[in-house]
């Protein structure tokens, strides 16, 4: 599944959204930026990165631990 990130918004996008019947304030209040930008045609899709930094684990072993 592709990773999608909402985009940036400004006055022009709000005007375009209003013309499409989208309410930016309502989508913001519902924490629904995804469908807002998708319907606006401005959703940023980055695709898979094939990395997951949340799975990173580090173990530090010092030489004195083996003495």
């Amino acid at each position: 599944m592709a990773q999608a990130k909402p985009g940036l918004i400004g006055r022009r996008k709000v005007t375009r959204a209003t013309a499409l019947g989208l309410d930016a304030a309502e989508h913001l209040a519902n924490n629904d930026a995804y469908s807002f930008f998708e319907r606006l045609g401005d959703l940023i899709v980055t695709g898979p990165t094939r990395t997951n930094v949340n799975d990173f684990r580090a173990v530090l072993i010092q030489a004195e631990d083996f003495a």
Side-chain angles (χ1 to χ4, degrees):
M1 173 192 272
Q3 299 293 318
K5 308 293 184 236
L8 299 173
I9 193 163
R11 185 175 301 193
R12 286 186 223 157
K13 284 190 185 180
V14 171
T15 301
R16 283 179 39 224
T18 303
L20 292 171
L22 297 171
D23 183 345
E26 181 181 337
H27 280 82
L28 181 61
N30 292 330
N31 295 315
D32 188 16
Y34 185 98
S35 67
F36 177 84
F37 285 105
E38 181 180 43
R39 290 182 57 201
L40 192 57
D42 289 340
L43 189 67
I44 299 169
V45 180
T46 60
T49 61
R50 306 214 191 289
T51 64
N52 187 346
V53 296
N54 292 324
D55 289 342
F56 178 76
R57 304 280 192 271
V59 178
L60 176 62
I61 300 174
Q62 297 179 348
E64 58 266 11
D65 291 340
F66 294 103

